[in-house]
């Protein structure tokens, strides 16, 4: 069992923050999500065609304001959803990585909301999203160890390992989903007006896709200032926080 939450300091700085959390078991690399992912990507392409560049989306503008408030140049450090939408607009497709990652990326693009999937077996103890102290260890996808800057928002486990850089900008190679991943924690975070119903729909979509694609048991929650914590049950244990699947 582990607990996931955003630190009080972060909640105070971003009171409109809404996070959707999904824990799932039984993930394998053999599921075929091609058609499902294509449907979400079609939604993202339609929105790009109708609304112009992703930088104008209210979901992305909210993250750009947050990055500017943290002293980061939004055009240099983009939230993951903006980076995906930009790549989709320029290249027409997103790279294939792993069925779960592909699905999360497609859903992230459709909602314009950053979605991170972490291998829970590579997370030690509780996981907190908080400003870094500067001594946390982050493993890049190239295999290099980095240390987030003091004050930089990151996901930190009980051993001091950092699982992200610049909040929703870049995940860690340490806890990235891979062929042997079985148990995952998926986190979607939004700051824009109307974030709570959007994140609630996103979580319901994830539950539907995990159930249909993997027959995966899930536990979920939508975290807000008034309900800021998620406790992950053990596989087969109490999933009282779970929500029912829904549609967009």
């Amino acid at each position: 069992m582990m607990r996931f939450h955003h630190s009080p300091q972060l909640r105070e700085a971003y009171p409109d923050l809404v996070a959707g959390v999904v824990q799932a078991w039984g993930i394998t690399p053999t599921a075929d999500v091609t058609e499902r992912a294509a449907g979400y990507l079609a939604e993202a392409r339609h929105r790009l065609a109708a609304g112009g560049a992703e930088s104008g989306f209210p979901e992305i503008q909210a993250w750009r304001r947050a990055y500017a408030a943290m002293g980061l140049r939004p055009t240099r450090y983009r939230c993951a959803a903006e980076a995906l939408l930009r790549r989709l607009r320029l290249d027409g497709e997103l790279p294939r990585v792993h069925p779960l990652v592909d699905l999360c990326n497609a859903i992230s693009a459709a909602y314009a909301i950053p979605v991170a999937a972490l291998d829970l077996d590579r997370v030690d103890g509780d996981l907190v999203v908080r400003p870094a102290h500067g001594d946390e260890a982050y493993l890049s996808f190239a295999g290099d160890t980095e240390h987030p800057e003091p004050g930089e928002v990151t996901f930190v486990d009980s051993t001091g390992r950092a699982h992200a850089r610049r909040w929703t900008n870049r995940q860690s190679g340490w806890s990235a989903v891979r062929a042997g991943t079985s148990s995952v924690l998926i986190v979607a975070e939004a700051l824009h007006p109307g974030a709570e119903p959007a994140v609630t729909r996103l979580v319901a979509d994830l539950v539907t896709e995990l159930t249909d694609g993997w027959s995966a048991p899930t536990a979920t929650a939508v975290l807000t200032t008034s309900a800021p914590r998620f406790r992950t049950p053990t596989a087969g244990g109490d999933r009282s926080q779970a929500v029912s699947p829904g549609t967009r």
Side-chain angles (χ1 to χ4, degrees):
M1 185 188 74
M2 63 161 283
R3 288 166 292 186
F4 171 85
H5 70 279
H6 296 77
S7 71
Q9 180 181 353
L10 202 63
R11 282 283 177 192
E12 182 178 357
Y14 302 96
D16 296 329
L17 169 65
V18 178
V21 185
V22 180
Q23 183 181 7
W25 300 266
I27 300 302
T28 67
T30 57
D32 184 1
V33 300
T34 304
E35 290 188 11
R36 296 179 179 279
Y40 292 104
L41 292 178
E43 291 184 25
R45 290 190 189 95
H46 177 76
R47 187 173 181 188
L48 286 167
E54 62 284 344
S55 59
F57 294 0
E59 300 92 340
I60 302 304
Q61 289 180 336
W63 279 108
R64 284 191 166 214
R65 289 191 295 270
Y67 273 50
M70 291 186 288
L72 300 171
R73 265 181 31 207
T75 53
R76 180 178 181 184
Y77 299 111
R78 295 178 170 87
C79 77
E82 181 177 0
L84 288 170
L85 284 163
R86 186 170 186 267
R87 185 160 189 171
L88 185 64
R89 176 171 56 82
L90 296 176
D91 298 345
E93 293 291 344
L94 296 180
R96 302 281 294 274
V97 180
H98 177 286
L100 180 65
V101 176
D102 299 346
L103 182 64
C104 288
N105 284 347
I107 291 176
S108 176
Y111 279 91
I113 291 174
V115 178
L118 294 85
D119 185 332
L120 267 181
D121 289 334
R122 309 279 283 182
V123 176
D124 293 312
D126 294 340
L127 189 64
V128 183
V129 187
R130 62 163 173 79
H133 300 147
D135 58 355
E136 297 86 356
Y138 168 93
L139 184 68
S140 74
F141 279 85
D144 300 319
T145 298
E146 303 173 3
H147 299 283
E149 296 291 332
E152 177 185 324
V153 179
T154 183
F155 288 54
V156 186
D157 69 20
S158 296
T159 66
R161 191 181 297 277
H163 294 273
R165 291 295 310 268
R166 303 174 192 90
W167 201 344
T168 60
N169 172 244
R170 185 155 52 105
Q171 283 188 240
S172 167
W174 178 259
S175 54
V177 172
R178 64 203 75 204
T181 297
S182 176
S183 178
V184 296
L185 185 73
I186 304 172
V187 181
E189 296 164 291
L191 296 166
H192 64 285
E196 187 170 354
V199 169
T200 300
R201 292 193 303 272
L202 187 157
V203 166
D205 279 350
L206 275 170
V207 170
T208 297
E209 303 302 349
L210 289 163
T211 301
D212 292 349
W214 284 271
S215 298
T218 59
T220 73
V222 174
L223 307 183
T224 63
T225 300
S226 60
R229 294 176 180 269
F230 174 76
R231 184 182 67 183
T232 68
T234 57
D238 176 26
R239 302 190 188 103
S240 59
Q241 299 180 83
V243 298
S244 300
T247 56
R248 294 183 299 287

